[in-house]
Amino acid sequence: MKVLVIGGGGREHALCWKLKQSPLLSELHCTPGNAGIAQIAQCHGGDAVEVARKIGADFVVVGPDAALAEGVVDRLKAQGIPAFGPTQNAARLESSKVFCKELLRKYGIPTADFETFEDAEMARAYLSDRDDETPVVVKADGLAVGKGVVIARGRKEAVAAVDEVLGVARATMPDAEERIVVEEFLEGEEVSLIALTDGETVVPLAPAQDHKRVGEGDTGPNTGGMGCYSPVPSFTPELHEIAVETMLKPTVEALKNEGIEYRGALYAGLILTRGGLKVIEFNARFGDPEAQVILPRLQSDLLPLLLACAGASDTPLSQTPCEWTPDATLCVAMAAAGYPGEVRRGDTIIGLDEAESGGALVFHAGTAQRDGVCVTSGGRVLGVTALGRDFLQARERCYHAVEQIRFEGAHYRRDIGWRTLNAEGGARSAE
Ligand code: AMP
Ligand code: GLY
């Protein structure tokens, strides 16, 4: 089977790496790909649907949210090419926060209290009545690569945040409507739980914990994600069950009830508050870097699972194996100078072979090949992942690999997994 993966980040490198192991695969292609993906797949430029047609793809796996929101799955279907990922209409669960929040409210799925506004004026008027002490979250409606969200400390910051989030949203999606969500600030530990679904069956994958802020101790601006690990010991089997039964399954059901068949990856961004588990957001895709820690733990073949979601397999999703290793994974994102702001590109990366020969998986994100040399070409440059028999071993191996790699201006967080490290370190010293 000829498979085309759309995207060029660490998530897509992890997808390609895992798909490459499938006995069902004959050829692996990617568009646009990156320097790491190019070592295991044929990379192509140009329009994704054109690429799929040109190479005669049997199946397409869509990685990024922007491609889903633009309707690439619908365009592929119109050409008779099956694809993994929700249609444009179903992907509104991520591409419109207003749509997502209203769906959650209508079907009683636990989430932060919120109000939605049609324009900046109305949002500002509402916020001007608030006090200066209660934090509040201001979000632009559309996709904004994790940057359309401001956690304001009170009224003044919240009023200013309206223009800020709209500015980001305008820069990302100039034609989108300028709606705003204002929501209650929730405090707690976040967990990403991604499920695969064919619109009926919901198969949860292993949970992961991402670190979204750029700085150690979870400080500084939000990013796409600076590092991840799986499993997440604090996300107990009971919480897992609550998330699946009261959040993931009811959301697929709710969409169905609205006449929307959701097929693909359904990513629940969850937060464990004092008042219980709540949904912060849904994404319509695999997380990045979440995919980089989840896929290396998946023991089963990924391709039949993705085919079943798309309805392109004779075996239904409910009967397709999905087995996990108990081993732990940890991934550290190495970012370019300036990330998450304006980034510098073109710096030579060294030490990749050394990191890999020690057993780590080095997933490329913003990398390119120039004159036979691997150079930086994006914000998050590499996702370095290691497996270990437990969290501590995975963490140690991962940071050892990260230390082998160098490029000018490289920065990364040294505290990925700090919550589990504190809990496990504490447990060990008490032994
Ligand atoms: P979103 O794009 O909605 O996922 O928001 C990005 C990040 O902002 C989330 O992963 C959280 O870390 C944070 N965030 C969003 N909404 C809230 C909220 N209501 N309370 C606290 N933090 C939030
Ligand atoms: N790592 C967060 C995301 O993929 O949205």
Side-chain angles (χ1 to χ4, degrees), residues 195-210:
L196 297 178
T197 180
D198 58 2
E200 294 282 342
T201 300
V202 171
V203 176
L205 304 179
Q209 185 161 67
D210 185 18

Side-chain angles (χ1 to χ4, degrees), residues 397-411:
R397 288 180 174 172
C398 183
Y399 278 105
H400 179 73
V402 165
E403 281 157 18
Q404 315 293 308
I405 301 173
R406 301 223 193 301
F407 52 89
E408 196 67 32
H411 64 99

Side-chain angles (χ1 to χ4, degrees), residues 36 38 47 68 93-94 104-105 114 129 154 178 208 250 260 267 280-282 294 304 306 325 345-346 388 399 409 422:
D47 176 71
L68 296 166
L93 199 60
E94 173 169 10
L104 296 180
R105 172 140 71 194
F114 70 99
D129 284 344
E178 301 205 330
I260 300 170
Y267 165 146
I280 289 228
E281 62 164 349
F282 273 113
I294 293 170
L306 304 188
T325 166
R345 290 160 212 271
Y399 278 105
N422 288 354

Side-chain angles (χ1 to χ4, degrees), residues 60-414:
V60 178
V61 177
V62 186
D65 45 5
L68 296 166
E70 166 272 304
V72 77
V73 171
D74 311 63
R75 291 202 289 131
L76 287 161
K77 274 191 179 164
Q79 301 284 336
I81 305 170
F84 171 82
T87 58
Q88 184 175 41
N89 194 27
R92 279 190 299 153
L93 199 60
E94 173 169 10
S95 65
S96 168
K97 293 191 191 296
V98 172
F99 172 77
C100 177
K101 294 292 291 190
E102 285 176 352
L103 186 88
L104 296 180
R105 172 140 71 194
K106 180 170 173 187
Y107 289 89
I109 297 163
T111 189
D113 282 342
F114 70 99
E115 297 286 341
T116 62
F117 300 94
E118 293 300 317
D119 61 46
E121 192 89 8
M122 289 164 74
R124 273 196 298 263
Y126 168 80
L127 287 165
S128 61
D129 284 344
R130 297 183 65 99
D131 62 44
D132 283 320
E133 283 78 45
T134 316
V136 59
V137 185
V138 181
K139 301 183 177 184
D141 184 37
L143 295 179
V145 286
K147 294 170 190 159
V149 174
V150 170
I151 297 171
R153 274 175 291 193
R155 180 180 55 89
K156 223 166 114 202
E157 280 188 16
V159 170
V162 172
D163 283 329
E164 197 178 319
V165 297
L166 283 180
V168 174
R170 262 180 225 132
T172 321
M173 294 214 131
D175 300 329
E177 285 179 59
E178 301 205 330
R179 294 188 297 182
I180 288 168
V181 177
V182 173
E183 67 180 42
E184 170 199 15
F185 172 73
L186 298 176
E187 216 165 344
E189 189 169 336
E190 288 183 53
V191 175
S192 308
L193 185 63
I194 302 165
L196 297 178
T197 180
D198 58 2
E200 294 282 342
T201 300
V202 171
V203 176
L205 304 179
Q209 185 161 67
D210 185 18
H211 298 61
K212 295 224 167 87
R213 305 292 198 93
V214 72
E216 276 154 34
D218 295 333
T219 53
N222 250 336
T223 69
M226 294 299 290
C228 240
Y229 65 104
S230 176
V232 186
S234 58
F235 192 64
T236 59
E238 294 72 32
L239 289 170
H240 196 283
E241 165 115 6
I242 291 171
V244 174
E245 297 303 326
T246 70
M247 293 163 180
L248 287 164
K249 285 185 181 172
T251 300
V252 172
E253 205 49 42
L255 286 163
K256 199 163 104 184
N257 206 46
E258 297 292 317
I260 300 170
E261 184 185 58
Y262 190 102
R263 291 175 177 272
L266 178 61
Y267 165 146
L270 305 172
I271 186 160
L272 182 56
T273 72
R274 283 179 173 199
L277 200 59
K278 295 193 177 172
V279 174
I280 289 228
E281 62 164 349
F282 273 113
N283 293 321
R285 52 176 171 80
F286 285 104
D288 190 1
E290 285 89 337
Q292 301 178 56
V293 292
I294 293 170
L295 297 174
R297 295 192 59 221
L298 178 64
Q299 285 184 312
S300 311
D301 188 350
L302 177 65
L303 189 48
L305 287 162
L306 304 188
L307 287 165
C309 289
S313 162
D314 294 335
T315 311
L317 182 61
S318 56
Q319 285 165 36
T320 307
C322 187
E323 304 292 334
W324 300 94
T325 166
D327 289 356
T329 45
L330 189 131
C331 170
V332 171
M334 297 185 75
Y339 181 76
E342 190 73 29
V343 296
R344 207 174 64 198
R345 290 160 212 271
D347 290 308
T348 301
I349 306 170
I350 57 169
L352 293 168
D353 291 344
E354 289 80 352
E356 280 174 331
S357 63
L361 297 162
V362 180
F363 295 122
H364 288 228
T367 68
Q369 198 77 15
R370 190 200 286 163
D371 305 328
V373 179
C374 188
V375 298
T376 63
S377 78
R380 288 184 293 176
V381 176
L382 301 166
V384 180
T385 297
L387 277 145
R389 66 172 176 271
D390 58 17
F391 169 83
L392 291 174
Q393 191 181 54
R395 184 173 188 281
E396 196 182 300
R397 288 180 174 172
C398 183
Y399 278 105
H400 179 73
V402 165
E403 281 157 18
Q404 315 293 308
I405 301 173
R406 301 223 193 301
F407 52 89
E408 196 67 32
H411 64 99
Y412 59 89
R413 280 182 59 168
R414 289 167 175 78

